[in-house]
């Protein structure tokens, strides 16, 4: 796998830009609409948003860039406002981490124990970083579909339209 520090920075910026748009889209829906079961993999828009935040923090902890999250992945934050604040802080931390990476960091190995799978894992960092960003994109796509179905304006997702100079957060 060939992942470079520049890729990580670009994807961290993209992630922050996407989540900034999600925060704005969430503000247009009621709490009930955000929590409504929409028959998606994690049920609601809010559950899916919490899952992404939880997973980002879990991967960042595995990569040495923060603490592992406490609590359940679907109920990490209690309210959309709390989610927005925690999402902003996590995106800033992820971008800061990416900006400090060098090529050697990406060629190491990360080891962790999965409680859910009840086993040890060991994978190259570059593969785990690719998964981190792919995972975000995958589940944000689900949120995009749910927002559209709820009648909200869904974010622009094409990376080609991302502002060159930010602001990403």
């Amino acid at each position: 796998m060939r992942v470079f520090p520049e890729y990580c920075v670009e994807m961290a910026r993209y992630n922050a830009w996407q989540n900034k748009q999600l925060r704005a889209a969430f503000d247009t829906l009621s709490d009930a609409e955000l929590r409504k079961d929409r028959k998606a993999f994690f049920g609601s828009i809010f559950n899916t948003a919490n899952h992404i935040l939880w997973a980002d923090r879990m991967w960042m902890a595995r990569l040495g860039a923060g603490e592992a999250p406490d609590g359940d992945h679907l109920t990490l934050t209690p309210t959309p406002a709390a989610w927005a604040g925690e999402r902003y802080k996590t995106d800033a931390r992820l971008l800061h981490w990416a900006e400090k990476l060098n090529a050697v960091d990406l060629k190491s190995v990360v080891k962790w124990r999965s409680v859910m799978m009840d086993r040890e894992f060991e994978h190259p960092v570059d593969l785990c970083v690719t998964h981190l960003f792919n995972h975000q994109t995958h589940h944000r796509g689900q949120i995009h579909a749910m927002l559209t179905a709820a009648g909200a304006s869904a974010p622009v997702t094409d990376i080609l339209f991302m502002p060159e100079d930010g602001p990403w957060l």
Side-chain angles (χ1 to χ4, degrees):
M1 173 138 317
R2 292 180 183 252
V3 174
F4 298 97
E6 298 82 5
Y7 165 82
C8 297
V9 170
E10 192 71 10
M11 293 309 295
R13 288 175 179 165
Y14 175 73
N15 172 65
W17 176 58
Q18 289 299 291
N19 288 324
K20 180 180 180 180
Q21 291 182 82
L22 285 184
R23 290 193 309 268
F26 288 8
D27 286 344
T28 69
L29 294 174
S30 69
D31 187 71
E33 283 293 312
L34 289 170
R35 294 175 191 271
K36 181 180 178 181
D37 185 354
R38 298 182 184 280
K39 309 300 182 212
F41 193 75
F42 296 116
S44 70
I45 293 169
F46 190 60
N47 282 358
T48 305
N50 263 326
H51 170 75
I52 299 168
L53 178 61
W54 183 92
D56 285 357
R57 287 183 173 174
M58 185 59 73
W59 276 109
M60 290 172 64
R62 291 172 182 160
L63 296 168
E67 297 295 317
D70 290 327
D72 181 74
H73 68 120
L74 301 182
T75 58
L76 181 63
T77 61
T79 66
W83 173 86
E86 293 302 314
R87 183 72 264 178
Y88 180 89
K89 289 189 286 189
T90 300
D91 291 344
R93 191 168 64 215
L94 181 59
L95 181 56
H96 181 71
W97 168 81
E99 290 171 339
K100 291 185 173 226
L101 279 175
N102 62 55
V104 173
D105 295 329
L106 294 167
K107 292 302 169 195
S108 60
V109 171
V110 63
K111 299 176 185 179
W112 75 94
R113 175 159 189 78
S114 168
V115 174
M116 193 161 91
M117 300 291 290
D118 192 29
R119 64 177 265 220
E120 303 288 327
F121 286 89
E122 179 177 323
H123 289 291
V125 168
D126 57 358
L127 179 63
C128 293
V129 167
T130 300
H131 173 74
L132 164 69
F133 292 123
N134 188 56
H135 179 266
Q136 296 166 341
T137 301
H138 167 72
H139 287 302
R140 271 196 309 267
Q142 294 172 328
I143 290 175
H144 190 280
M146 289 186 279
L147 286 170
T148 302
S153 293
V156 174
T157 59
D158 294 331
I159 196 169
L160 300 173
F161 300 127
M162 183 173 72
E164 288 275 331
D165 299 322
W168 300 289
L169 294 170

